[in-house]
Every structure is written in C-alpha cells, then in structure tokens.
Amino acid sequence: MKLRIAAACAPALLGAAAMVLLQRLWQPVPLLSVKIDFGLLAFFGGLLLSAVWLSAVLSRRAFVRQRSFLTARERMKHAEAQRRFIRRLDHELKNPLTGIRAALANLEGAGTPGAAASAIPDIQHQVERLARLTSGLRKLADLEEIPLENAKVDLGELLRETVDAMRAHPSGAGRDLRLVVPSVPWPLPQITGDRDLLSLMFFNLVENAMKYSGRGDAVEVRAIEQARHVLVEIADTGPGIPADEIPRLFEELYRGSNARGCEGSGLGLALVRRVADRHAGSVTVRSRRDGRRGTIFAVSLPVA
C-alpha cells in the first residue's frame, strides 16, 4: 500500500521539480511569464494525475475491503447453515434410534413370544423412518449432479395424474381436493423438463397440503399460462404458516411448528426448490393465519 501511495505521488513531485527547473532556467520577464505558466501547468498536471491515481488506489482498496467483508459474511452464513443442518440431522437421526433402542429393550425384557412380537412393528417403523431420511438426503445430493431428461412435458396431464393419485392417498381423507386446468380456448403449453422430477415436486406439494390441513378443508391445484411461463398453485384452507417461519421453509431438514406433530423428514420442500431451480423455475409461498386462512405454494416454470 505504501509503495502504491508513493507511486501515486510521483507525478506531483515530478511536476513540482519541473516547475522549479523552468523558473530557474528562464528569467521572469513579462514576455517570459509563459515559463511560469508551463511550470505551474506541469505542477498542476502532476497534481491532477496524482489525485486521479490516489483516487483509483483508494477506490480499489475500498472495493477489495467490501468484497472481503461480503465474502466473510457469506462464509459465516454458510457455516451457520451447515451448523443448523448438522443439528437438525442429529435430531432427525436421534428420534428413530431412540425408538429402536426402546423397542429392543422391550424385546429383551419380553416374557412371552407375544410380547416380543409386539415390539417388532415399532422397530420396523423406526427403520423405515431412517430409510426415508437417507433416501431423501441421497435424492437431494443427486439433484446437484444428475443430468436432467429434457423432454416435452404436458403439465396438465401430469397434474391430473398427481391429483388422481392423491385422491386415493391416506392423507387425503376428508379433504375436498380440486383440480383446475384450462382447456379452452387452448390447453396449457408444454414445458421442457424431467417428467419424473416434476412429478415428484408436485406430489410433495399436494401431499403437504393434504397432510397439514384437516378434515373438511379444501385443497385446490390450479394452473395457468402467464408471461411465457406456466404457473401452478397448490392452495389449501389449512391453518396457515407463521410469517417468521416462511423464509426458512425450504431449508434442508427444517420443520415448521405446524409440522412437528406430523411424521416427515423435513426434506420435501428442499427437494421442491431444487427441482424448480434445475428447471430454471421458481417456487414461492404465501400464507395467512387469520380470517380466510390458508397457504398457497406457487411454482413457475418456463414454457418450452
């Protein structure tokens, strides 16, 4: 830094030296007053160059400091996100492992074959929870690297399949599930993407809407074409999501306060966002807990 400042001052010093030299060589008679002007011109020219140079050096230094500050802040945010993920993973692993230990203890202490057999379903249930968790984590990791199958996808048809599957799903009992897809004057345009991943994304969103609403609530899946995109909304009349939880809903393993009583891995919405990102799309959420309460997840995907 000192070397740069010295280099920046060099033009000013050279200008001052030129001014003194010119004034000594030429006598200050009226007609030669131009000599002084040249000297001053050299001095001020050098001063101007020094000012410009110093300004550039200081600006660059400020830019480097700002970039370093932002990089450090991003690293801190990333480190904090990693710590949160590890704490959640620890929590998600601890619950089924505790359940397995308790079931094994019951199995060991069972006095009769019937009592021993009753502990086995608990163990199987906890093992399935662990399997779902590891499967979800593997899918998330794979989504970063696997190449997508870029084929034409009829979203209207895919949404009809999803809703039909959810009508037979146990979590849909007692819900009023509706599908609104335009057919006139023209159907939804096709999009380009991986049909299996898109199906997984919409299945997760509709399943969540069913799971976190109650009997008598309505769930509506609707799609429209909008500005060279297809907008798909999954809306429900459930209890809504607290406003302070919405920014964190798509974090891996995050469980909102409404979800803590329901079984799940906390990876579904992280998968949804990753699939939308891989298709150059986006996913947003709006929710209300008072008056006409409910939640809307909106997925926007570009038209092929």
Side-chain angles (χ1 to χ4, degrees):
M1 187 60 192
K2 290 181 180 177
L3 185 61
R4 287 181 181 174
I5 292 175
C9 293
L13 295 174
L14 289 173
M19 179 185 70
V20 173
L21 182 62
L22 288 170
Q23 285 180 340
R24 287 199 174 186
L25 288 177
W26 290 336
Q27 296 299 318
V29 295
L31 288 177
L32 297 178
S33 61
V34 175
K35 293 180 182 177
I36 298 173
D37 291 341
F38 275 133
L40 287 174
L41 185 63
F43 172 69
F44 286 117
L47 196 61
L48 179 62
L49 283 174
S50 293
V52 170
W53 195 339
L54 268 175
S55 174
V57 168
L58 293 175
S59 296
R60 178 174 174 72
R61 190 179 181 188
F63 172 74
V64 170
R65 279 184 176 176
Q66 179 71 12
R67 190 172 59 181
S68 300
F69 172 74
L70 291 175
T71 302
R73 192 168 64 176
E74 286 301 313
R75 283 179 183 162
M76 288 175 64
K77 285 173 65 178
H78 182 65
E80 177 58 29
Q82 281 189 320
R83 284 193 290 273
R84 282 201 305 267
F85 173 76
I86 290 171
R87 284 196 294 270
R88 290 173 193 158
L89 184 58
D90 176 69
H91 178 75
E92 293 297 328
L93 290 174
K94 194 178 290 180
N95 283 343
L97 289 175
T98 302
I100 290 173
R101 285 197 191 98
L104 287 174
N106 291 336
L107 190 61
E108 287 176 355
T112 63
S118 67
I120 293 176
D122 290 338
I123 296 174
Q124 289 175 332
H125 176 67
Q126 300 303 338
V127 169
E128 285 168 5
R129 285 183 65 186
L130 284 174
R132 283 197 297 272
L133 178 62
T134 54
S135 172
L137 289 170
R138 188 177 63 250
K139 281 179 187 171
L140 266 178
D142 288 347
L143 272 176
E144 296 290 346
E145 300 173 355
I146 59 170
L148 296 187
E149 180 187 344
N150 287 319
K152 300 288 185 186
V153 178
D154 182 339
L155 271 186
E157 181 185 85
L158 188 148
L159 292 174
R160 276 188 286 275
E161 290 176 4
T162 304
V163 168
D164 286 344
M166 288 309 303
R167 284 198 170 110
H169 198 273
S171 64
R175 277 68 161 177
D176 177 15
L177 179 57
R178 310 165 189 164
L179 175 66
V180 182
V181 175
S183 56
V184 292
W186 48 75
L188 286 176
Q190 292 184 323
I191 67 163
T192 300
D194 190 308
R195 198 178 195 282
D196 289 340
L197 289 179
L198 292 169
S199 178
L200 172 70
M201 175 174 69
F202 289 118
F203 185 88
N204 275 336
L205 287 172
V206 180
E207 185 186 34
N208 277 354
M210 307 287 265
K211 190 192 298 182
Y212 301 121
S213 56
R215 287 182 175 274
D217 277 325
V219 175
E220 186 169 282
V221 180
R222 53 198 182 223
I224 58 169
E225 182 184 2
Q226 188 177 74
R228 298 296 300 161
H229 282 68
V230 174
L231 178 68
V232 180
E233 291 188 335
I234 295 90
D236 66 68
T237 56
I241 302 169
D244 60 330
E245 294 181 1
I246 288 178
R248 302 177 65 183
L249 284 181
F250 296 97
E251 293 180 9
E252 295 165 359
L253 298 175
Y254 180 75
R255 305 294 307 276
S257 55
N258 290 349
R260 285 168 195 156
C262 301
E263 192 162 300
S265 64
L267 293 171
L269 289 179
L271 274 166
V272 165
R273 171 158 284 180
R274 205 70 58 87
V275 173
D277 288 346
R278 289 296 308 269
H279 287 81
S282 63
V283 55
T284 56
V285 56
R286 313 192 299 277
S287 191
R288 290 177 55 174
R289 288 169 61 81
D290 58 341
R292 292 186 175 180
R293 63 180 193 176
T295 302
I296 301 172
F297 282 88
V299 178
S300 178
L301 297 167
V303 172

mmCIF file of all heavy atoms in Angstrom, residues 251-279:
data_model
loop_
_atom_site.group_PDB
_atom_site.id
_atom_site.type_symbol
_atom_site.label_atom_id
_atom_site.label_comp_id
_atom_site.label_asym_id
_atom_site.label_seq_id
_atom_site.Cartn_x
_atom_site.Cartn_y
_atom_site.Cartn_z
ATOM 1 N N GLU A 251 -35.329 -24.756 3.731
ATOM 2 C CA GLU A 251 -34.034 -25.245 4.221
ATOM 3 C C GLU A 251 -34.123 -26.758 4.468
ATOM 4 O O GLU A 251 -35.170 -27.267 4.877
ATOM 5 C CB GLU A 251 -33.656 -24.527 5.517
ATOM 6 C CG GLU A 251 -33.368 -23.048 5.331
ATOM 7 C CD GLU A 251 -32.989 -22.384 6.643
ATOM 8 O OE1 GLU A 251 -32.797 -23.102 7.645
ATOM 9 O OE2 GLU A 251 -32.891 -21.149 6.667
ATOM 10 N N GLU A 252 -32.999 -27.428 4.266
ATOM 11 C CA GLU A 252 -32.971 -28.884 4.446
ATOM 12 C C GLU A 252 -33.229 -29.241 5.907
ATOM 13 O O GLU A 252 -32.624 -28.661 6.815
ATOM 14 C CB GLU A 252 -31.616 -29.438 4.005
ATOM 15 C CG GLU A 252 -31.369 -29.247 2.522
ATOM 16 C CD GLU A 252 -29.929 -29.440 2.151
ATOM 17 O OE1 GLU A 252 -29.115 -29.697 3.047
ATOM 18 O OE2 GLU A 252 -29.617 -29.309 0.958
ATOM 19 N N LEU A 253 -34.135 -30.185 6.129
ATOM 20 C CA LEU A 253 -34.477 -30.739 7.446
ATOM 21 C C LEU A 253 -35.221 -29.757 8.345
ATOM 22 O O LEU A 253 -35.410 -30.034 9.528
ATOM 23 C CB LEU A 253 -33.227 -31.262 8.179
ATOM 24 C CG LEU A 253 -32.486 -32.412 7.494
ATOM 25 C CD1 LEU A 253 -31.212 -32.751 8.262
ATOM 26 C CD2 LEU A 253 -33.369 -33.641 7.411
ATOM 27 N N TYR A 254 -35.611 -28.597 7.822
ATOM 28 C CA TYR A 254 -36.354 -27.639 8.658
ATOM 29 C C TYR A 254 -37.786 -28.131 8.830
ATOM 30 O O TYR A 254 -38.446 -28.528 7.866
ATOM 31 C CB TYR A 254 -36.348 -26.244 8.023
ATOM 32 C CG TYR A 254 -37.111 -25.240 8.852
ATOM 33 C CD1 TYR A 254 -36.555 -24.731 10.017
ATOM 34 C CD2 TYR A 254 -38.411 -24.841 8.502
ATOM 35 C CE1 TYR A 254 -37.265 -23.833 10.808
ATOM 36 C CE2 TYR A 254 -39.115 -23.949 9.278
ATOM 37 C CZ TYR A 254 -38.533 -23.452 10.427
ATOM 38 O OH TYR A 254 -39.237 -22.566 11.216
ATOM 39 N N ARG A 255 -38.266 -28.118 10.058
ATOM 40 C CA ARG A 255 -39.655 -28.495 10.351
ATOM 41 C C ARG A 255 -40.342 -27.301 10.996
ATOM 42 O O ARG A 255 -39.909 -26.827 12.059
ATOM 43 C CB ARG A 255 -39.722 -29.692 11.307
ATOM 44 C CG ARG A 255 -38.965 -30.935 10.872
ATOM 45 C CD ARG A 255 -39.547 -31.596 9.623
ATOM 46 N NE ARG A 255 -40.971 -31.888 9.733
ATOM 47 C CZ ARG A 255 -41.458 -32.990 10.321
ATOM 48 N NH1 ARG A 255 -40.637 -33.873 10.837
ATOM 49 N NH2 ARG A 255 -42.750 -33.204 10.381
ATOM 50 N N GLY A 256 -41.390 -26.808 10.370
ATOM 51 C CA GLY A 256 -42.154 -25.703 10.943
ATOM 52 C C GLY A 256 -42.949 -26.170 12.158
ATOM 53 O O GLY A 256 -43.103 -27.368 12.408
ATOM 54 N N SER A 257 -43.473 -25.211 12.913
ATOM 55 C CA SER A 257 -44.204 -25.560 14.142
ATOM 56 C C SER A 257 -45.457 -26.387 13.822
ATOM 57 O O SER A 257 -45.846 -27.246 14.595
ATOM 58 C CB SER A 257 -44.578 -24.288 14.905
ATOM 59 O OG SER A 257 -45.305 -23.408 14.059
ATOM 60 N N ASN A 258 -46.082 -26.154 12.649
ATOM 61 C CA ASN A 258 -47.270 -26.936 12.272
ATOM 62 C C ASN A 258 -46.916 -28.378 11.921
ATOM 63 O O ASN A 258 -47.758 -29.264 11.976
ATOM 64 C CB ASN A 258 -47.967 -26.318 11.051
ATOM 65 C CG ASN A 258 -48.632 -25.022 11.395
ATOM 66 O OD1 ASN A 258 -48.753 -24.681 12.564
ATOM 67 N ND2 ASN A 258 -49.046 -24.288 10.379
ATOM 68 N N ALA A 259 -45.637 -28.589 11.525
ATOM 69 C CA ALA A 259 -45.242 -29.906 11.012
ATOM 70 C C ALA A 259 -44.682 -30.807 12.096
ATOM 71 O O ALA A 259 -44.483 -31.995 11.854
ATOM 72 C CB ALA A 259 -44.203 -29.734 9.911
ATOM 73 N N ARG A 260 -44.427 -30.261 13.287
ATOM 74 C CA ARG A 260 -43.710 -31.065 14.278
ATOM 75 C C ARG A 260 -44.542 -32.234 14.806
ATOM 76 O O ARG A 260 -44.014 -33.189 15.316
ATOM 77 C CB ARG A 260 -43.214 -30.174 15.411
ATOM 78 C CG ARG A 260 -42.007 -29.361 14.935
ATOM 79 C CD ARG A 260 -41.599 -28.258 15.841
ATOM 80 N NE ARG A 260 -40.691 -27.325 15.149
ATOM 81 C CZ ARG A 260 -40.515 -26.080 15.473
ATOM 82 N NH1 ARG A 260 -41.163 -25.562 16.493
ATOM 83 N NH2 ARG A 260 -39.682 -25.324 14.790
ATOM 84 N N GLY A 261 -45.866 -32.129 14.711
ATOM 85 C CA GLY A 261 -46.693 -33.246 15.148
ATOM 86 C C GLY A 261 -46.920 -34.291 14.068
ATOM 87 O O GLY A 261 -47.514 -35.339 14.325
ATOM 88 N N CYS A 262 -46.456 -33.976 12.827
ATOM 89 C CA CYS A 262 -46.664 -34.895 11.700
ATOM 90 C C CYS A 262 -45.345 -35.588 11.356
ATOM 91 O O CYS A 262 -44.275 -34.991 11.475
ATOM 92 C CB CYS A 262 -47.161 -34.137 10.472
ATOM 93 S SG CYS A 262 -48.705 -33.265 10.725
ATOM 94 N N GLU A 263 -45.476 -36.793 10.897
ATOM 95 C CA GLU A 263 -44.263 -37.512 10.522
ATOM 96 C C GLU A 263 -43.739 -36.990 9.183
ATOM 97 O O GLU A 263 -44.504 -36.748 8.260
ATOM 98 C CB GLU A 263 -44.568 -39.001 10.412
ATOM 99 C CG GLU A 263 -43.309 -39.842 10.324
ATOM 100 C CD GLU A 263 -43.582 -41.295 10.641
ATOM 101 O OE1 GLU A 263 -44.050 -41.568 11.760
ATOM 102 O OE2 GLU A 263 -43.322 -42.133 9.773
ATOM 103 N N GLY A 264 -42.436 -36.837 9.109
ATOM 104 C CA GLY A 264 -41.826 -36.361 7.871
ATOM 105 C C GLY A 264 -40.352 -36.145 8.099
ATOM 106 O O GLY A 264 -39.874 -36.122 9.235
ATOM 107 N N SER A 265 -39.608 -35.968 7.000
ATOM 108 C CA SER A 265 -38.153 -35.825 7.126
ATOM 109 C C SER A 265 -37.702 -34.376 7.100
ATOM 110 O O SER A 265 -36.562 -34.081 7.447
ATOM 111 C CB SER A 265 -37.476 -36.589 5.983
ATOM 112 O OG SER A 265 -37.829 -36.002 4.743
ATOM 113 N N GLY A 266 -38.568 -33.465 6.667
ATOM 114 C CA GLY A 266 -38.132 -32.071 6.529
ATOM 115 C C GLY A 266 -37.325 -31.848 5.258
ATOM 116 O O GLY A 266 -36.646 -30.824 5.135
ATOM 117 N N LEU A 267 -37.380 -32.790 4.314
ATOM 118 C CA LEU A 267 -36.604 -32.649 3.073
ATOM 119 C C LEU A 267 -37.484 -32.374 1.862
ATOM 120 O O LEU A 267 -36.986 -32.041 0.801
ATOM 121 C CB LEU A 267 -35.798 -33.935 2.825
ATOM 122 C CG LEU A 267 -34.687 -34.220 3.835
ATOM 123 C CD1 LEU A 267 -34.121 -35.614 3.615
ATOM 124 C CD2 LEU A 267 -33.585 -33.188 3.717
ATOM 125 N N GLY A 268 -38.804 -32.535 2.022
ATOM 126 C CA GLY A 268 -39.703 -32.408 0.874
ATOM 127 C C GLY A 268 -39.628 -31.058 0.189
ATOM 128 O O GLY A 268 -39.483 -30.977 -1.034
ATOM 129 N N LEU A 269 -39.694 -29.978 0.957
ATOM 130 C CA LEU A 269 -39.677 -28.648 0.343
ATOM 131 C C LEU A 269 -38.293 -28.286 -0.192
ATOM 132 O O LEU A 269 -38.178 -27.541 -1.168
ATOM 133 C CB LEU A 269 -40.158 -27.601 1.341
ATOM 134 C CG LEU A 269 -41.658 -27.657 1.664
ATOM 135 C CD1 LEU A 269 -42.034 -26.598 2.691
ATOM 136 C CD2 LEU A 269 -42.489 -27.479 0.391
ATOM 137 N N ALA A 270 -37.237 -28.804 0.446
ATOM 138 C CA ALA A 270 -35.887 -28.586 -0.101
ATOM 139 C C ALA A 270 -35.781 -29.256 -1.475
ATOM 140 O O ALA A 270 -35.195 -28.696 -2.417
ATOM 141 C CB ALA A 270 -34.837 -29.138 0.856
ATOM 142 N N LEU A 271 -36.361 -30.446 -1.603
ATOM 143 C CA LEU A 271 -36.390 -31.124 -2.907
ATOM 144 C C LEU A 271 -37.190 -30.317 -3.929
ATOM 145 O O LEU A 271 -36.786 -30.180 -5.088
ATOM 146 C CB LEU A 271 -37.020 -32.504 -2.746
ATOM 147 C CG LEU A 271 -36.103 -33.658 -2.329
ATOM 148 C CD1 LEU A 271 -36.930 -34.859 -1.898
ATOM 149 C CD2 LEU A 271 -35.191 -34.046 -3.475
ATOM 150 N N VAL A 272 -38.326 -29.777 -3.489
ATOM 151 C CA VAL A 272 -39.173 -28.985 -4.388
ATOM 152 C C VAL A 272 -38.393 -27.805 -4.958
ATOM 153 O O VAL A 272 -38.387 -27.561 -6.174
ATOM 154 C CB VAL A 272 -40.425 -28.492 -3.627
ATOM 155 C CG1 VAL A 272 -41.130 -27.384 -4.401
ATOM 156 C CG2 VAL A 272 -41.381 -29.653 -3.376
ATOM 157 N N ARG A 273 -37.722 -27.074 -4.079
ATOM 158 C CA ARG A 273 -36.957 -25.904 -4.572
ATOM 159 C C ARG A 273 -35.832 -26.333 -5.504
ATOM 160 O O ARG A 273 -35.587 -25.688 -6.524
ATOM 161 C CB ARG A 273 -36.393 -25.116 -3.400
ATOM 162 C CG ARG A 273 -35.402 -24.030 -3.833
ATOM 163 C CD ARG A 273 -35.218 -22.939 -2.841
ATOM 164 N NE ARG A 273 -36.357 -22.021 -2.866
ATOM 165 C CZ ARG A 273 -36.469 -20.958 -2.086
ATOM 166 N NH1 ARG A 273 -35.533 -20.687 -1.224
ATOM 167 N NH2 ARG A 273 -37.512 -20.173 -2.156
ATOM 168 N N ARG A 274 -35.158 -27.428 -5.169
ATOM 169 C CA ARG A 274 -34.048 -27.885 -6.010
ATOM 170 C C ARG A 274 -34.551 -28.289 -7.402
ATOM 171 O O ARG A 274 -33.915 -27.981 -8.417
ATOM 172 C CB ARG A 274 -33.363 -29.071 -5.322
ATOM 173 C CG ARG A 274 -31.902 -29.289 -5.697
ATOM 174 C CD ARG A 274 -30.985 -28.210 -5.153
ATOM 175 N NE ARG A 274 -31.045 -28.106 -3.717
ATOM 176 C CZ ARG A 274 -30.313 -28.817 -2.875
ATOM 177 N NH1 ARG A 274 -29.469 -29.679 -3.340
ATOM 178 N NH2 ARG A 274 -30.398 -28.640 -1.574
ATOM 179 N N VAL A 275 -35.696 -28.955 -7.462
ATOM 180 C CA VAL A 275 -36.253 -29.356 -8.771
ATOM 181 C C VAL A 275 -36.652 -28.108 -9.568
ATOM 182 O O VAL A 275 -36.387 -28.010 -10.771
ATOM 183 C CB VAL A 275 -37.469 -30.285 -8.573
ATOM 184 C CG1 VAL A 275 -38.155 -30.555 -9.913
ATOM 185 C CG2 VAL A 275 -37.037 -31.601 -7.943
ATOM 186 N N ALA A 276 -37.283 -27.147 -8.908
ATOM 187 C CA ALA A 276 -37.676 -25.909 -9.612
ATOM 188 C C ALA A 276 -36.436 -25.181 -10.134
ATOM 189 O O ALA A 276 -36.427 -24.709 -11.279
ATOM 190 C CB ALA A 276 -38.475 -25.011 -8.666
ATOM 191 N N ASP A 277 -35.396 -25.092 -9.318
ATOM 192 C CA ASP A 277 -34.158 -24.422 -9.752
ATOM 193 C C ASP A 277 -33.561 -25.124 -10.963
ATOM 194 O O ASP A 277 -33.094 -24.468 -11.906
ATOM 195 C CB ASP A 277 -33.135 -24.413 -8.607
ATOM 196 C CG ASP A 277 -33.515 -23.453 -7.492
ATOM 197 O OD1 ASP A 277 -34.413 -22.611 -7.717
ATOM 198 O OD2 ASP A 277 -32.933 -23.545 -6.399
ATOM 199 N N ARG A 278 -33.539 -26.471 -10.938
ATOM 200 C CA ARG A 278 -32.934 -27.217 -12.048
ATOM 201 C C ARG A 278 -33.713 -27.014 -13.354
ATOM 202 O O ARG A 278 -33.193 -27.250 -14.434
ATOM 203 C CB ARG A 278 -32.866 -28.715 -11.726
ATOM 204 C CG ARG A 278 -31.849 -29.115 -10.669
ATOM 205 C CD ARG A 278 -30.399 -28.857 -11.068
ATOM 206 N NE ARG A 278 -30.013 -29.391 -12.340
ATOM 207 C CZ ARG A 278 -29.486 -30.611 -12.536
ATOM 208 N NH1 ARG A 278 -29.307 -31.403 -11.507
ATOM 209 N NH2 ARG A 278 -29.130 -31.016 -13.729
ATOM 210 N N HIS A 279 -34.977 -26.590 -13.256
ATOM 211 C CA HIS A 279 -35.786 -26.343 -14.454
ATOM 212 C C HIS A 279 -35.898 -24.851 -14.769
ATOM 213 O O HIS A 279 -36.817 -24.435 -15.486
ATOM 214 C CB HIS A 279 -37.190 -26.941 -14.273
ATOM 215 C CG HIS A 279 -37.209 -28.439 -14.348
ATOM 216 N ND1 HIS A 279 -36.861 -29.244 -13.289
ATOM 217 C CD2 HIS A 279 -37.498 -29.281 -15.388
ATOM 218 C CE1 HIS A 279 -36.955 -30.516 -13.658
ATOM 219 N NE2 HIS A 279 -37.335 -30.567 -14.910
#
